[in-house]
Amino acid sequence: MMRFQVSKPVLAGRERDYVLDAVDSGWISSSGPYIGKFEQAVARVLGVEECIAVSNGTVALHLACMALELKPGQEVIVPSLTYVATANAVAYCGATPVMADCDKTTWNMTAEAVEALITPKTAGVIAVHLYGLPCPIEEIAALCEARGIWLIEDCAESLGATVRGRATGTFGDAATFSFYGNKTISTGEGGMVVMRDPQRRAHARMLRGQGMDPHRRYWHPIIGYNYRLTNVAAAIGYGQIEQVGYHLSERRRIAAAYREGLRLLAVEGLVALPAEVEGLDSSSWLFSMVLRDGGAERRARIMERLELEHGIETRPFFVPMHRLPMYEQPLDLPNTEYLGDHGMNLPTYSGLTDAEVAEISVAVCDVVRAV
Ligand SMILES: *Cc1c(COP(=O)(O)O)cnc(C)c1O
């Protein structure tokens, strides 16, 4: 019996009231007041002028790439260690994702790795704040500016994370968020786009709504998409974002409890815990750890025992993009490959108590020492 899932949405605020209000009003499709309310609430949290709600985090990335005019044949530098959507958005535009290595301790793409991959074909960079810890976004932004290429921040995992007090999602030409069921706040499926330039922002809004001219009905001067979010999903999102402080403090409390519970395992050198970097405030999306050795097979044995003997669900880190069939390249990305084989995510969701984290930690310590 599974006692602890890795993740689950927690609807502890007024989500139900807002959804019933949306249903009772009849505004269940992609017009209605909750869409604007949700967009404005997220914009306030980030400290940006405006946000654009979309149907999920993947299309948010695609929309951002299109609004930045990514063209077939161009290249975009992405970390190899990320969720597949980061690379897919580039491929949707007919462009090539170029995979960068990451740092072994922060698990994030470095500015040096990006710089080494810039070619005359490079249009931009998609930086990811993996598992909620900000990547060196100031350095990467400075590099992009110096080299005249654009920067998208994939903030799917980093809502609420800050760099010297400034929110992730405010450093690039664009930023994207996901509200999938396992994210810090969820709308079931949903996403958000931030575009710095007001003209590109207007273009992104047009692309979201079938390319229709905002001032002329059924006049579609460009090929657009239906990437809209429904008012019902936005109603959930509005209830969730009102509680974002609660969800973030819960995740940070849980991370602190895991650090305590797994401290000895780390001291013994059997696992590495998420890096703590001066000035960077992680969103603590999913608490994660990296086994020192043994490879993917040992990790699988550990995960299986945690599940079968203790009812604890865990997840392996993402498979590096350069190992997936469609992006397979004979690259030497040693840190990415090591982390891809040795990393795992532990249960992290609002309401998981300190006592439960302590119990999970004891089981993790026992199993890791034994396998
Ligand atoms: C979840 C996630 C996405 C995509 O989000 P969906 O809403 O599932 O489409 C993109 N990038 C990263 C890094 C993610 O974790």
Side-chain angles (χ1 to χ4, degrees):
M1 188 192 65
M2 194 68 79
R3 298 183 48 224
F4 301 110
Q5 297 164 239
V6 160
S7 165
K8 61 181 174 193
V10 173
L11 309 177
R14 302 193 62 193
E15 294 88 346
R16 190 168 184 278
D17 296 341
Y18 296 148
V19 167
L20 290 177
D21 180 44
V23 170
D24 290 344
S25 74
W27 292 97
I28 58 165
S29 196
S30 53
S31 306
Y34 285 106
I35 296 161
K37 283 184 174 183
F38 182 40
E39 287 177 337
Q40 283 151 27
V42 174
R44 269 197 302 278
V45 167
L46 298 177
V48 300
E49 262 175 59
E50 223 182 281
C51 287
I52 305 171
V54 295
S55 7
N56 59 65
T58 305
V59 303
L61 284 162
H62 186 207
L63 202 62
C65 286
M66 289 190 292
L68 290 164
E69 295 172 80
L70 180 58
K71 293 283 177 305
Q74 293 187 314
E75 296 175 353
V76 176
I77 300 166
V78 303
S80 181
L81 190 64
T82 183
Y83 181 59
V84 68
T86 315
N88 282 350
V90 174
Y92 297 159
C93 295
T96 305
V98 175
M99 316 302 176
D101 204 1
C102 60
D103 179 82
K104 198 170 173 179
T105 59
T106 65
W107 315 337
N108 273 319
M109 184 168 72
T110 62
E112 296 75 50
V114 172
E115 183 155 32
L117 293 172
I118 296 175
T119 74
K121 288 186 183 169
T122 307
V125 174
I126 307 182
V128 180
H129 307 289
L130 199 72
Y131 302 125
L133 180 70
C135 70
I137 195 67
E138 292 163 308
E139 278 176 68
I140 294 173
L143 173 66
C144 290
E145 179 147 10
R147 303 299 287 267
I149 56 179
W150 50 250
L151 172 62
I152 297 174
E153 290 178 83
D154 180 345
C155 301
E157 305 175 0
S158 72
L159 177 69
T162 59
V163 178
R164 278 164 271 287
R166 179 169 160 193
T168 59
T170 63
F171 291 88
D173 298 283
T176 65
F177 293 83
S178 164
F179 307 121
Y180 180 64
N182 65 9
K183 298 292 158 73
T184 301
I185 69 161
S186 180
T187 58
E189 295 276 5
M192 200 66 86
V193 180
V194 175
M195 297 293 307
R196 180 185 284 161
D197 177 68
Q199 261 167 314
R200 292 198 190 276
R201 197 185 300 152
H203 187 54
R205 277 195 185 278
M206 219 168 135
L207 286 165
R208 175 185 69 172
Q210 288 298 15
M212 191 168 80
D213 185 319
H215 308 294
R216 192 170 164 197
R217 229 176 150 74
Y218 297 119
W219 180 249
H220 307 262
I222 55 171
I223 296 179
Y225 298 78
N226 176 357
Y227 281 176
R228 296 181 297 257
L229 187 72
T230 68
N231 195 47
V232 177
I236 300 175
Y238 189 56
Q240 288 265 282
I241 196 78
E242 282 185 338
Q243 299 256 301
V244 71
Y246 162 74
H247 292 293
L248 286 167
S249 67
E250 281 292 275
R251 281 172 196 271
R252 286 169 180 153
R253 173 185 60 73
I254 291 164
Y258 272 123
R259 283 189 191 281
E260 180 56 31
L262 300 175
R263 197 174 59 83
L264 281 180
L265 213 53
V267 169
E268 290 160 28
L270 294 176
V271 299
L273 302 181
E276 290 179 285
V277 185
E278 181 73 39
L280 306 185
D281 197 9
S282 174
S283 67
S284 300
W285 174 51
L286 285 183
F287 193 82
S288 309
M289 64 179 201
V290 176
L291 300 166
R292 182 179 58 189
D293 48 30
E297 279 166 42
R298 173 167 177 259
R299 179 180 61 187
R301 287 202 302 281
I302 288 170
M303 292 175 64
E304 187 181 64
R305 279 186 61 169
L306 285 170
E307 176 163 345
L308 297 181
E309 294 169 19
H310 301 278
I312 298 166
E313 185 193 20
T314 56
R315 300 244 172 96
F317 271 18
F318 300 122
V319 175
M321 294 303 98
H322 72 285
R323 284 180 167 174
L324 296 178
M326 65 286 196
Y327 299 127
E328 199 159 2
Q329 292 167 43
L331 297 174
D332 182 29
L333 304 180
N335 296 336
T336 297
E337 284 165 25
Y338 170 79
L339 294 168
D341 285 341
H342 294 86
M344 54 197 277
N345 311 122
L346 303 178
T348 315
Y349 48 85
S350 300
L352 186 70
T353 67
D354 283 353
E356 288 171 327
V357 173
E359 186 189 333
I360 294 168
S361 299
V362 167
V364 169
C365 289
D366 288 350
V367 172
V368 169
R369 287 189 184 116
V371 175

